[in-house]
Amino acid sequence: MRFMMLMIPQGYESAEPGTLPSADRIATMMEYNRALQEAGVLRALDGLHPPSMGARVSFRGGASRVVDGPFPEAKEVLGGYWVIEVGSREEAIAWARRCPGADNETIEVRQIMGMEDFPEDVQQAVGPV
């Protein structure tokens, strides 16, 4: 089962362009990332620049609209993510609990959809993947 662990750092929604974690913070997080890798569960990971450097594309009435960051209405934003492959939701949560998160950080754990999660008619419509 694949899970995405989403890092939600409080305050990152208003971070200035180019804001980066400290070297100490990166070193601490890299220890955790190495543990995931050594356990053979890590599939992908990345940190994300602050929303002030991003853009949102919305769709209404068949047209797209682009809004550059920052996004004043945002209350929670992603600071990064991990994709892990483990045997259960409980195991994914256990890995999230091991993360050396700071007081202002939350990790949301979400299972990634696989084709097997969809009904047979959808799987047939998609065909071989």
Side-chain angles (χ1 to χ4, degrees):
M1 301 167 83
R2 291 179 305 141
F3 287 85
M4 183 171 272
M5 300 189 310
L6 307 163
M7 176 60 80
I8 305 168
Q10 184 181 18
Y12 205 48
E13 65 278 0
S14 59
E16 295 294 321
T19 298
L20 297 170
S22 70
D24 288 345
R25 186 77 184 114
I26 293 289
T28 300
M29 199 57 75
M30 287 307 296
E31 290 177 32
Y32 174 69
N33 295 340
R34 273 192 287 283
L36 288 165
Q37 188 173 33
E38 289 169 3
V41 301
L42 183 63
R43 297 296 172 260
L45 68 98
D46 281 299
L48 301 171
H49 282 284
S52 55
M53 296 174 66
R56 289 186 176 173
V57 180
S58 59
F59 304 90
R60 297 200 193 223
S64 62
R65 178 175 169 240
V66 177
V67 175
D68 289 325
F71 314 110
E73 71 282 359
K75 294 183 179 159
E76 292 182 338
V77 298
L78 297 179
Y81 68 90
W82 300 263
V83 174
I84 61 172
E85 191 164 345
V86 293
S88 67
R89 177 179 178 270
E90 292 72 27
E91 189 176 352
I93 291 170
W95 275 108
R97 292 183 73 169
R98 289 180 60 182
C99 181
D103 288 347
N104 68 321
E105 295 174 326
T106 300
I107 294 178
E108 182 176 330
V109 178
R110 307 260 305 270
Q111 187 173 354
I112 297 172
M113 286 184 194
M115 190 51 62
E116 67 278 2
D117 295 319
F118 290 92
E120 186 63 33
D121 62 330
V122 172
Q123 292 182 35
Q124 288 177 358
V126 170
V129 181

